Amino acid sequence: MIGIEDVRAAAGRIAGVAHRTPVLTSRTVDALAGASVLAKAECFQRGGAFKFRGAYNAIASLSPETRAAGVLAYSSGNHAQAIALAARLHGIPAVIVMPYDAPPTKAAATAGYGAELVRYDRYDQVREDVGRELASERGLTLIPPYDHPDVIAGQGTVALELVEDCGPLDVLVVCVGGGGLLAGCATAATAVSPGVRVVGVEPAAGDDVRQSLAAGHRVTIPVPRTVADGQQTTSPGELNFPIIQRLVEDVVTVTDEEIVATMVLAFERMKVVLEPSGASALAAVLTGRVPGIAGRRVGVTLSGGNVGAARFAELVGAHPPPAG
Amino acid sequence: MIGIEDVRAAAGRIAGVAHRTPVLTSRTVDALAGASVLAKAECFQRGGAFKFRGAYNAIASLSPETRAAGVLAYSSGNHAQAIALAARLHGIPAVIVMPYDAPPTKAAATAGYGAELVRYDRYDQVREDVGRELASERGLTLIPPYDHPDVIAGQGTVALELVEDCGPLDVLVVCVGGGGLLAGCATAATAVSPGVRVVGVEPAAGDDVRQSLAAGHRVTIPVPRTVADGQQTTSPGELNFPIIQRLVEDVVTVTDEEIVATMVLAFERMKVVLEPSGASALAAVLTGRVPGIAGRRVGVTLSGGNVGAARFAELVGAHPPPAG
């Protein structure tokens, strides 16, 4: 378990390195949601997503000797970029284990940060096995994408900043893959905004966290096929799940079509770029999937913006917005 | 002629109504430009473009009786939305004369603000004639998109805010259609950042301002065919041109391909949505068209973000970015 003191310590470590991202508001979004929506724009974070917070905090928390040997990460993309960038800022080597079908922009950006890429087949190999083997061979420290206390604490700074900058929230809506952002934000938000209701959002095709909460234990599902590549996880993290059980009221789902429609709305009305996973929390708010938000102050994570223009064009073509 | 006092008065009128837009910075952009680029993000302005500043200032400057009768504007899009919104905020009627081939998102947004739309054929009819006739018939005050001192003064607040927020600039690069933004920003920037070099940017297919500066008088060209629909003007404004002659060092041009590539870069690396006209100034900086910027502090206008997702997809498809 982590506490607000761990999130505050993380905030100290990332201060002046991570961006304190802006909180966006939109009259259009408020009118559609029937609520006052405060959107924490992690698409403007370094590396293009919230992941930099946890990655930097985890690397900064290592002992100098351990850190110097280098780090390893397995990731569908944004955690990889975050580890690559955080490692470069620390002047240490990074090896990234990434699926062959990761978005090309994410792979290119990761390599651009100077990391070594090792590819694997996400439908055939278990990335944890690939990662552990490499780490032990080379003496690297494995930094998992969500199942790690320093990663969770780092991600919690998203909610800490949101409440510090905007005041208490009635509801906080957070996208969830493995649960790093959700567990961290739930820890921070419930501490600094007492009484806040925290709700997670998953793609409908990959609702492992919702199923796990219903079952009362961690459920593992097949790799979900969804446009939300950052949420293609198969089960909540071992450390993350009990935090989510304790602090999160509910997990709701949105369809791929709703996610793409929200990407289009963010593009046309807010003028910001969201990747599919980054749009899911806002999609849940706009489609009425989060109960009890009418007239409330609702925090929403816009968790990332790493989508190529060509991929965006493809998604918009496949799911055209309504005419007019 | 207008002076800095007019721009400061405009700043007072729009305070608390227009957004004080953020200044964006990007390590990627700085590295590509070889300069410190300070990008004034008017895509986040109300109505999606800088035009709201001039429109609101012009309407706020009318006498109460004149204002109450309503206003009329002719515009390819963003000025229309701006007038419609500013009129609604003042509680007065607005009639917008808009070409049939204006982008559908712009027409829809204008109508959404409650304005009455009157369409015309931009390749066949002179919009000034259509506008003047309607204005005299209905007793409306015509607010032209750029050739008006209050509009110019309002647009100048873009540069005033940029210098107030970031300090003196070495160079200011501004997109130019009819010259409202360029004349206003040149007036403000040269007053509050003495010694700044102001450079305008036009699409290569529509370089009427560049030709006019070279000729020493206003040159009129056929309606240019360019993706930059906000810069499809045929000559600089009568009031605007002498200001530009006096205060602007040079006007450079960028191709449609360079504009689209810059829209893609802004999308993928800055996570912001720029319409073609809104990307032209940044395109000039990134393609080396603005001389003498190496190592300098360079202000750039990102003048608007009103492009539909479908149109963006179409542009990206027509001008695919380089692989990798």
Side-chain angles (χ1 to χ4, degrees):
Chain A
M1 284 291 168
I2 65 155
I4 182 65
E5 66 284 359
D6 299 300
V7 179
R8 290 195 193 282
R13 287 188 201 99
I14 69 172
V17 184
H19 293 318
R20 193 174 183 100
T21 51
V23 177
L24 307 182
T25 58
S26 158
R27 289 174 181 79
T28 303
V29 167
D30 285 0
L32 291 170
S36 173
V37 176
L38 302 157
K40 181 70 169 164
E42 287 295 296
C43 47
F44 297 127
Q45 187 51 264
R46 292 186 77 171
F50 73 95
K51 294 280 188 180
F52 179 70
R53 297 169 182 270
Y56 192 90
N57 186 52
I59 293 177
S61 299
L62 296 174
S63 75
E65 306 74 43
T66 306
R67 185 165 57 231
V71 293
L72 176 143
Y74 39 79
S75 165
S76 65
N78 284 335
H79 177 62
Q81 285 181 237
I83 287 288
L85 174 56
R88 197 185 63 178
L89 292 171
H90 279 97
I92 63 168
V95 175
I96 307 296
V97 181
M98 187 179 279
Y100 285 110
D101 63 348
T105 45
K106 293 187 177 183
T110 306
Y113 289 130
E116 178 191 346
L117 295 193
V118 174
R119 312 303 289 262
Y120 77 102
D121 180 347
R122 83 158 97 199
Y123 299 100
D124 199 44
Q125 295 173 278
V126 178
R127 68 180 182 180
E128 282 78 359
D129 296 345
V130 176
R132 280 197 197 96
E133 194 171 325
L134 267 168
S136 94
E137 269 173 22
R138 306 203 196 175
L140 307 164
T141 300
L142 178 69
I143 312 280
Y146 46 83
D147 207 344
H148 189 292
D150 296 328
V151 172
I152 297 171
Q155 318 307 29
T157 60
V158 169
L160 180 64
E161 289 179 12
L162 179 55
V163 174
E164 283 177 351
D165 290 351
C166 298
L169 302 170
D170 297 311
V171 186
L172 177 62
V173 185
V174 180
C175 50
V176 51
L181 184 63
L182 180 57
C185 284
T187 300
T190 53
V192 297
S193 184
V196 66
R197 296 166 44 220
V198 181
V199 174
V201 181
E202 287 183 303
D207 64 342
D208 50 293
V209 181
R210 198 187 61 73
Q211 288 188 37
S212 298
L213 285 176
H217 60 85
R218 292 163 69 217
V219 168
T220 300
I221 63 171
V223 175
R225 307 234 174 200
T226 164
V227 295
D229 57 280
Q231 295 177 295
Q232 284 184 302
T233 45
T234 57
S235 73
E238 192 175 339
L239 290 173
N240 312 68
F241 184 61
I243 301 175
I244 293 170
Q245 274 186 306
R246 187 162 53 92
L247 300 177
V248 172
E249 179 182 277
D250 201 5
V251 169
V252 300
T253 65
V254 288
T255 66
D256 279 8
E257 285 70 22
E258 290 164 345
I259 287 173
V260 173
T262 302
M263 292 170 70
V264 169
L265 180 124
F267 181 102
E268 295 188 341
R269 305 308 297 253
M270 303 175 79
K271 319 299 180 190
V272 296
V273 176
L274 301 182
E275 63 185 281
S277 312
S280 62
L282 182 59
V285 166
L286 292 176
T287 54
R289 300 296 164 76
V290 183
I293 64 170
R296 300 291 180 168
R297 288 167 52 78
V298 181
V300 171
T301 57
L302 306 180
S303 62
N306 289 326
V307 57
R311 174 64 176 152
F312 179 81
E314 191 179 281
L315 288 171
V316 170
H319 306 269
Chain B
M1 286 292 170
I2 64 155
I4 182 65
E5 65 283 1
D6 299 300
V7 179
R8 290 197 193 282
R13 287 187 201 99
I14 70 172
V17 185
H19 292 317
R20 193 174 184 99
T21 52
V23 178
L24 308 182
T25 59
S26 159
R27 288 173 182 79
T28 303
V29 167
D30 285 1
L32 291 170
S36 174
V37 176
L38 303 157
K40 181 70 168 163
E42 287 295 297
C43 47
F44 297 126
Q45 186 51 263
R46 292 186 76 171
F50 72 95
K51 293 280 188 181
F52 179 70
R53 297 168 182 270
Y56 192 90
N57 186 52
I59 293 176
S61 300
L62 296 173
S63 74
E65 306 74 42
T66 306
R67 185 165 57 232
V71 293
L72 175 142
Y74 40 80
S75 166
S76 66
N78 285 335
H79 177 61
Q81 284 181 237
I83 287 289
L85 174 56
R88 197 185 64 179
L89 292 171
H90 279 97
I92 62 168
V95 176
I96 307 296
V97 181
M98 187 179 279
Y100 286 109
D101 63 348
T105 45
K106 293 186 177 183
T110 305
Y113 289 130
E116 178 190 347
L117 294 194
V118 175
R119 313 303 289 260
Y120 77 102
D121 180 347
R122 81 159 97 196
Y123 298 99
D124 199 44
Q125 295 173 278
V126 178
R127 68 181 182 182
E128 283 78 359
D129 296 345
V130 177
R132 281 197 197 96
E133 194 171 325
L134 267 167
S136 95
E137 270 172 22
R138 305 203 197 174
L140 306 165
T141 300
L142 178 69
I143 312 279
Y146 46 83
D147 207 344
H148 189 292
D150 297 328
V151 172
I152 296 171
Q155 319 307 30
T157 60
V158 170
L160 181 63
E161 288 179 12
L162 179 55
V163 175
E164 282 177 352
D165 290 351
C166 298
L169 302 170
D170 297 312
V171 186
L172 177 61
V173 185
V174 181
C175 49
V176 50
L181 184 63
L182 181 56
C185 284
T187 300
T190 54
V192 298
S193 184
V196 66
R197 295 166 46 219
V198 181
V199 174
V201 181
E202 288 183 302
D207 64 341
D208 50 293
V209 181
R210 198 187 62 74
Q211 287 188 38
S212 298
L213 285 176
H217 60 84
R218 294 162 67 217
V219 168
T220 300
I221 63 170
V223 175
R225 308 236 173 196
T226 165
V227 295
D229 56 281
Q231 295 177 295
Q232 284 185 302
T233 46
T234 58
S235 73
E238 193 174 339
L239 290 172
N240 312 67
F241 184 61
I243 301 175
I244 293 169
Q245 275 186 305
R246 188 162 52 92
L247 300 178
V248 173
E249 180 183 276
D250 201 5
V251 169
V252 300
T253 65
V254 288
T255 66
D256 279 8
E257 285 70 22
E258 290 164 345
I259 287 173
V260 173
T262 301
M263 292 170 70
V264 169
L265 180 125
F267 181 103
E268 295 188 340
R269 305 308 297 254
M270 303 175 78
K271 319 300 180 189
V272 296
V273 176
L274 301 182
E275 63 185 279
S277 312
S280 62
L282 182 59
V285 166
L286 292 176
T287 55
R289 300 296 165 77
V290 184
I293 64 170
R296 300 292 181 168
R297 288 168 52 80
V298 181
V300 171
T301 57
L302 306 179
S303 61
N306 289 326
V307 57
R311 174 64 176 150
F312 178 80
E314 190 178 282
L315 288 172
V316 170
H319 304 269

